[in-house]
Amino acid sequence: AYKSDDDPSSYSSAYSDLEKFIDSSLDVHRYELALILYPVFVHMYLELVYNQHEDKAKQFMKRFGPTQESYYQEDIKKLSFVTKREHMKGNELMDNFNTSQFTVRMSRDTYTQLRQQKKQLSEKQHTLLWNVIQEHLYLDVYEGLP
């Protein structure tokens, strides 16, 4: 489910804008919002690889891989070896990414903040980002304080 006609150069700017949005969020929302960074990173990378944008995928990995949480670095290193669509088949890490959606638990207030991000992104970047979020993440929204 990684087929995409999105402009490969828009992935880096969309992810960078997501990082900036999260960094500028209120402390109360920042922790929960930051939980989407890794799964969005992974699936954006895999979309680039699947759609045969190898150079853009490598640039994306080089730029954003090191900024992920340290406990993800081992998986990111394995992921960085997946540079062609053929590598995606039968890869244990890929199977994990494909068989289970990332579940991200967040308060309704935080979810509303995430939806507000629309106003800060261009339509193209917003669509790219939300397609990844809706297709590959499960946002478990709860009532109450973050």
Side-chain angles (χ1 to χ4, degrees):
Y2 287 111
K3 185 148 179 43
S4 169
D5 298 324
D6 288 310
D7 174 7
S9 59
S10 64
Y11 284 73
S12 282
S13 55
Y15 192 82
S16 181
D17 285 346
L18 177 63
E19 284 182 322
K20 288 177 195 154
F21 167 75
I22 291 171
D23 285 344
S24 67
S25 295
L26 295 174
D27 289 348
V28 70
H29 301 295
R30 191 174 307 131
Y31 171 76
E32 286 185 332
L33 288 170
L35 296 174
I36 70 169
L37 285 170
Y38 175 68
V40 168
F41 163 78
V42 166
H43 290 292
M44 282 185 155
Y45 176 76
L46 293 173
E47 262 185 27
L48 286 167
V49 169
Y50 184 85
N51 291 288
Q52 300 172 329
H53 303 299
E54 192 177 332
D55 289 341
K56 291 289 183 192
K58 286 177 180 174
Q59 290 169 7
F60 188 82
M61 175 63 71
K62 187 176 180 182
R63 179 173 174 190
F64 300 110
T67 66
Q68 304 303 312
E69 295 288 348
S70 58
Y71 47 84
Y72 291 128
Q73 289 303 320
E74 192 175 319
D75 283 347
I76 289 172
K77 187 174 183 182
K78 290 177 193 169
L79 186 65
S80 71
F81 293 113
V82 177
T83 57
K84 296 185 183 314
R85 190 188 292 190
E86 306 83 75
H87 299 164
M88 294 171 81
K89 293 185 185 102
N91 181 306
E92 181 188 337
L93 194 60
M94 283 300 307
D95 293 341
N96 290 343
F97 291 137
N98 289 332
T99 56
S100 59
Q101 281 188 316
F102 281 84
T103 299
V104 177
R105 193 160 156 70
M106 64 177 57
S107 70
R108 182 153 313 282
D109 282 355
T110 300
Y111 180 72
T112 302
Q113 290 299 310
L114 184 59
R115 297 293 302 188
Q116 293 296 321
Q117 186 212 19
K118 273 190 210 183
K119 296 174 185 170
Q120 297 178 7
L121 292 179
S122 74
E123 190 58 40
K124 188 185 251 184
Q125 289 173 337
H126 171 264
T127 303
L128 168 69
L129 204 53
W130 275 96
N131 285 347
V132 169
I133 290 171
Q134 289 175 325
E135 214 164 294
H136 301 290
L137 275 67
Y138 173 70
L139 299 179
D140 180 12
V141 179
Y142 65 91
E143 298 298 331
L145 297 171

